[in-house]
């Protein structure tokens, strides 16, 4: 194990190494920072390459700037070749003990473990050290599967962890890293590009397209095919293409079966339902269930799927040609999720409300439309919101450059201002 400690020195802060931290994502580091100084395990989940590793390193750097000694921080990334032989919780424990012997940290140790799901029974290590009062430590872990906290870990750590879902760049972050102003024109650029952090280090669209394709393939092969022993990889890929093509539309598994049947592809409900769940678990897509606003419960059947990053449509499947309005709806969904809301598709009487967003005892109703310049559009978008007779806030989000006056208590939000607005609530 001492050889591994030597090999990962370059990835740690011990020798004042110039560790690359990437673009500062204070939205997440500040949020996670509120939970520092206790025994809660900080769990970061999200799609591969969405920026979890950068955020972990930024937190570690912040701790050092606040007085924590560099030798008191251990950073492990299971994707590094140097750690290819690290496979079990027992080996992880041996590595940790070797680290303590070699670095001799005094006081609390901060342990960061990236892509921890590749270590068998890792939950044993986390549970043990998060509660160790003799040699106190604070743990930060990340993973690329939404089931990271399912099963045994949830039982072992019940009430002793806090989870943060990491998304690709928001529009303010997109502008910040690109040196752009927050305005409608740049928001359109945001809608028609992508927000995975590494895209901003690539100089042209061809390289970006190749990168997005490689990310999609890696997620599918490593996080889905290998993990779930997928038999029909082509069907999985075709299903993802279908969900990209129908993003922001109400669909059901039956719809998908009928689509493949029209293409002479035989499949069944169980297989497609499982494959769709796997795509969700790997964070490539998100599913929004329908929500009965009057009855205040979810409705089984049709749902909407949204992409975790618009790059999949814009760089891989742009030829499908659905309009900017669908991209806008997808972006608004991601903004709501990023702000910590559970998001549903609302139904009331015979109309649809694009989003019902719920966080604790807070609830928002939102309609999303590209423009409110025509009377028929205004009537359609405001009608469903006016049918809701509770006192929760109602909004219409659009790309209009001017502010629309409040209409029967329904406020207008410009799409490019939505992120800051949600964070101010």
């Amino acid at each position: 194990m001492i050889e591994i400690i030597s090999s990962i020195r370059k990835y740690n802060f011990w020798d004042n190494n110039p560790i690359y931290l990437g673009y500062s994502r204070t939205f997440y580091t500040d949020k996670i920072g509120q939970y520092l100084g206790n025994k809660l395990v900080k769990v970061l989940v999200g799609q591969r390459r969405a920026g979890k590793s950068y955020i972990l390193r930024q937190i570690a750097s912040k701790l050092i700037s606040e007085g924590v000694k560099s030798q008191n921080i251990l950073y492990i990334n299971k994707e590094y070749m140097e750690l290819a032989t690290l496979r079990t919780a027992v080996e992880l424990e041996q590595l940790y003990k070797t680290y303590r012997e070699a670095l001799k940290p005094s006081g609390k140790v901060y342990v960061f473990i990236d892509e921890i799901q590749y270590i068998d029974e890792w939950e044993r290590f986390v549970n043990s050290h998060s509660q160790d009062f003799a040699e106190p430590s604070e743990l930060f872990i990340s993973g690329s599967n939404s089931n990271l906290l399912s099963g045994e870990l949830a039982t072992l750590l019940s009430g002793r962890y806090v989870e943060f879902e990491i998304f690709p760049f928001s529009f303010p972050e997109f502008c910040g890293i690109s040196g752009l102003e927050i305005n409608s024109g740049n928001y359109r650029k945001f809608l028609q590009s992508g927000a995975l952090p590494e895209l901003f280090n690539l100089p042209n669209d061809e390289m970006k397209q190749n990168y997005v394709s490689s990310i999609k393939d890696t997620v599918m092969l490593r996080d889905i095919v290998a993990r779930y022993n997928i038999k029909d990889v082509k069907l999985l890929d075709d299903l993802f293409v279908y969900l990209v093509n129908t993003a922001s539309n109400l669909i059901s598994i039956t719809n998908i079966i009928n689509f493949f049947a029209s293409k002479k592809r035989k499949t069944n409900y169980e297989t497609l339902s499982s494959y769709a769940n796997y795509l969700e678990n790997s964070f490539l897509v998100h599913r929004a269930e329908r929500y009965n606003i009057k009855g205040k419960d979810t409705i089984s059947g049709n749902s909407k799927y949204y992409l975790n990053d618009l790059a999949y449509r814009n760089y891989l499947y742009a030829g499908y040609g659905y309009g900017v309005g669908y991209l806008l709806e997808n972006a608004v969904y991601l903004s709501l999720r990023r702000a910590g809301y559970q998001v549903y598709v609302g139904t009331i009487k015979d109309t649809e409300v694009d989003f019902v967003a719920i966080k604790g005892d807070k609830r928002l109703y939102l309609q999303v439309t590209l423009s409110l310049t025509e009377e028929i559009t205004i009537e359609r978008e405001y009608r469903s919101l006016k049918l809701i007779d509770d006192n929760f806030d109602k909004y219409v989000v659009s790309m209009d450059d001017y502010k629309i006056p409040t209409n029967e208590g329904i406020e207008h939000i410009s799409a490019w201002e939505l992120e800051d607005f949600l964070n101010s609530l």
Side-chain angles (χ1 to χ4, degrees):
M1 284 295 172
I2 193 65
E3 294 83 4
I4 293 181
I5 291 294
S6 298
S7 69
I8 64 172
R9 292 190 76 95
K10 60 186 176 184
Y11 303 122
N12 278 273
F13 294 83
W14 308 327
D15 303 316
N16 295 316
N17 293 329
I19 306 295
Y20 182 57
L21 301 177
Y23 179 77
S24 180
R25 304 193 70 182
T26 54
F27 173 79
Y28 289 110
T29 55
D30 288 350
K31 183 185 292 187
I32 298 168
Q34 297 174 11
Y35 292 86
L36 294 178
N38 51 56
K39 291 182 178 295
L40 291 174
V41 180
K42 288 72 175 175
V43 183
L44 281 63
V45 296
Q47 184 204 300
R48 186 183 295 272
R49 301 294 178 264
K52 300 186 298 296
S53 300
Y54 286 122
I55 292 169
L56 287 179
R57 294 199 294 269
Q58 288 170 19
I59 295 169
S61 177
K62 184 178 180 181
L63 286 169
I64 292 172
S65 70
E66 294 173 350
V68 174
K69 295 178 180 178
S70 60
Q71 63 264 33
N72 283 55
I73 293 176
L74 172 63
Y75 175 72
I76 297 169
N77 190 324
K78 188 59 183 72
E79 292 198 308
Y80 292 153
M81 283 300 297
E82 291 87 347
L83 295 171
T85 58
L86 181 64
R87 298 189 181 95
T88 68
V90 172
E91 293 167 340
L92 179 59
E93 177 67 22
Q94 292 172 347
L95 175 63
Y96 180 69
K97 287 181 176 178
T98 304
Y99 149 76
R100 294 194 68 102
E101 292 168 1
L103 276 295
K104 295 180 172 53
S106 176
K108 181 190 283 189
V109 167
Y110 298 83
V111 182
F112 296 78
I113 308 177
D114 222 343
E115 300 297 352
I116 198 170
Q117 72 272 10
Y118 295 119
I119 301 174
D120 292 337
E121 296 190 317
W122 57 269
E123 54 268 36
R124 303 290 182 184
F125 175 90
V126 169
N127 184 57
S128 173
H129 288 284
S130 67
Q131 304 306 310
D132 190 340
F133 62 87
E135 293 183 338
S137 59
E138 196 161 341
L139 280 83
F140 304 76
I141 65 176
S142 83
S144 299
N145 190 283
S146 65
N147 287 334
L148 187 71
L149 288 170
S150 65
E152 189 172 10
L153 178 61
T155 301
L156 286 171
L157 290 181
S158 179
R160 298 202 294 265
Y161 67 84
V162 58
E163 182 182 56
F164 306 89
E165 185 170 356
I166 308 301
F167 289 87
F169 285 153
S170 65
F171 176 58
E173 289 176 317
F174 173 89
C175 290
I177 196 171
S178 304
L180 300 172
E181 293 184 3
I182 293 180
N183 57 40
S184 60
N186 288 328
Y187 193 79
R188 286 183 179 272
K189 292 180 182 178
F190 173 69
L191 293 179
Q192 295 172 330
S193 55
L196 292 166
E198 194 61 33
L199 287 173
F200 297 86
N201 295 322
L202 302 176
N204 58 59
D205 284 351
E206 181 181 358
M207 293 178 69
K208 291 178 180 180
Q209 181 183 35
N210 290 336
Y211 175 73
V212 174
S213 179
S214 71
I215 291 299
K216 187 263 292 184
D217 290 343
T218 301
V219 171
M220 286 200 176
L221 291 174
R222 295 193 63 182
D223 298 334
I224 301 179
V225 174
R227 182 183 180 91
Y228 300 106
N229 194 26
I230 297 296
K231 299 293 190 292
D232 193 340
V233 179
K234 181 67 165 58
L235 178 63
L236 176 70
D237 192 72
D238 289 346
L239 174 60
F240 178 64
V241 175
Y242 177 86
L243 295 179
V244 171
N245 189 26
T246 58
S248 304
N249 288 305
L250 275 173
I251 59 172
S252 66
I253 298 298
T254 302
N255 294 149
I256 305 173
I257 291 173
N258 292 337
F259 170 79
F260 283 118
S262 72
K263 304 294 183 182
K264 310 300 182 188
R265 296 283 299 280
K266 288 186 177 181
T267 184
N268 57 65
Y269 189 99
E270 183 180 357
T271 298
L272 282 176
S273 180
S274 296
Y275 283 14
N277 286 336
Y278 300 155
L279 290 169
E280 280 187 79
N281 292 344
S282 64
F283 300 99
L284 282 175
V285 299
H286 304 276
R287 181 168 59 95
E289 294 182 294
R290 293 166 71 212
Y291 184 89
N292 183 334
I293 294 173
K294 206 74 174 175
K296 294 181 172 52
D297 56 3
T298 56
I299 306 170
S300 60
N302 292 0
S303 301
K304 287 189 178 184
Y305 286 86
Y306 294 96
L307 308 180
N308 193 55
D309 193 278
L310 297 179
Y312 298 116
R313 183 269 179 187
N314 292 326
Y315 290 114
L316 299 187
Y317 309 114
Y320 287 109
Y322 56 88
V324 177
Y326 291 106
L327 295 173
L328 173 61
E329 184 177 326
N330 201 134
V332 170
Y333 171 87
L334 293 175
S335 292
L336 290 166
R337 287 292 308 278
R338 200 179 283 111
Y341 289 89
Q342 293 177 292
V343 185
Y344 305 91
V345 178
T347 64
I348 183 164
K349 296 186 178 179
D350 61 340
T351 66
E352 178 184 302
V353 175
D354 288 331
F355 296 123
V356 179
I358 300 173
K359 180 165 61 173
D361 59 359
K362 186 182 297 182
R363 181 176 303 179
L364 310 176
Y365 300 111
L366 298 95
Q367 285 291 88
V368 182
T369 186
L370 202 56
S371 174
L372 288 167
T373 55
E374 297 182 6
E375 204 60 45
I376 189 172
T377 304
I378 295 174
E379 168 61 26
R380 182 185 69 241
E381 299 301 334
Y382 281 81
R383 176 175 176 264
S384 58
L385 293 176
K386 289 177 180 179
L387 291 172
I388 304 171
D389 58 6
D390 62 35
N391 294 318
F392 292 109
D393 292 335
K394 307 171 184 68
Y395 304 97
V396 173
V397 181
S398 80
M399 290 289 291
D400 295 294
D401 283 310
Y402 52 88
K403 196 75 173 176
I404 310 296
T406 301
N407 185 334
E408 296 187 29
I410 301 168
E411 295 186 36
H412 170 253
I413 305 173
S414 297
W416 58 94
E417 297 175 340
L418 177 63
E419 204 87 28
D420 288 339
F421 175 80
L422 290 172
N423 293 330
S424 70
L425 293 178

